[in-house]
């Protein structure tokens, strides 16, 4: 378990956010996307990325971590909104659509970065107000790199299961 503090950045000044559940899922998403590399060590690539007609969804945020591994980030305001299931759905989509992700990386970061994508370390970050002990147990049983990040306290608490 590790902690990640959240900050508001405005007018070249950062101030730590008080601990409370985010009022709106989209507001938290915008905040994290604006400083994703600082908060999560992930380079921001896309927001609300469309998965196409067959899957009919939108990945909240896509990024690439410092090891060149793809990162999917899903946000939910409450703890009971199936963020893990939705994230796993998009993780499956991503691993089946590597060419689409490679093109996105090429467009945003260049051909060199796209050639260095490390698929074996693909990660899913689920950010919600809180998670239950059942959520933590469930991700421990899944053979994927999934991180649960709770936003309900003064710092974001991260429960990570990396395989």
């Amino acid at each position: 378990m590790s902690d990640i503090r959240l900050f508001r950045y405005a007018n070249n000044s950062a101030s730590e956010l008080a601990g409370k559940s985010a009022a709106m899922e989209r507001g938290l998403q915008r905040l994290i996307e604006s400083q994703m590399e600082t908060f999560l060590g992930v380079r921001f690539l896309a927001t609300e990325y469309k998965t196409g007609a067959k899957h009919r969804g939108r990945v909240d945020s896509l990024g690439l971590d410092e090891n060149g591994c793809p990162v999917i980030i899903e946000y939910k305001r409450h703890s009971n909104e199936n963020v893990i299931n939705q994230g796993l759905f998009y993780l499956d989509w991503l691993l089946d659509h590597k060419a689409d992700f490679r093109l996105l990386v090429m467009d945003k970061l260049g051909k060199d970065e796209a050639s260095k994508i490390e698929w074996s370390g693909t990660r899913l970050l689920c950010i919600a107000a809180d998670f239950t002990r059942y959520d933590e147990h469930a991700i421990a049983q899944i053979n994927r790199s999934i991180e649960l990040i709770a936003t309900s306290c003064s710092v974001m608490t991260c429960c990570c299961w990396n395989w």
Side-chain angles (χ1 to χ4, degrees), residues 90-108:
Y90 292 134
L91 181 60
D92 186 57
W93 171 85
L94 177 66
L95 294 173
D96 193 46
H97 291 80
K98 292 178 181 179
D100 292 334
F101 186 81
R102 192 173 287 116
L103 286 173
L104 174 64
V105 172
M106 192 179 306
D107 181 52
K108 299 289 183 175

Side-chain angles (χ1 to χ4, degrees), residues 50-58 89-90 92-94 96-97:
K50 293 180 184 178
T51 59
K54 182 179 176 184
H55 286 86
R56 298 184 325 265
R58 292 175 189 233
F89 178 80
Y90 292 134
D92 186 57
W93 171 85
L94 177 66
D96 193 46
H97 291 80

Side-chain angles (χ1 to χ4, degrees), residues 84-85 88 91 137-146 161 163:
I84 298 169
N85 293 339
L88 287 169
L91 181 60
H137 180 76
I139 66 165
Q141 302 305 311
I142 300 169
N143 191 20
R144 298 279 187 203
S145 179
I146 302 171
W161 298 94
W163 300 95

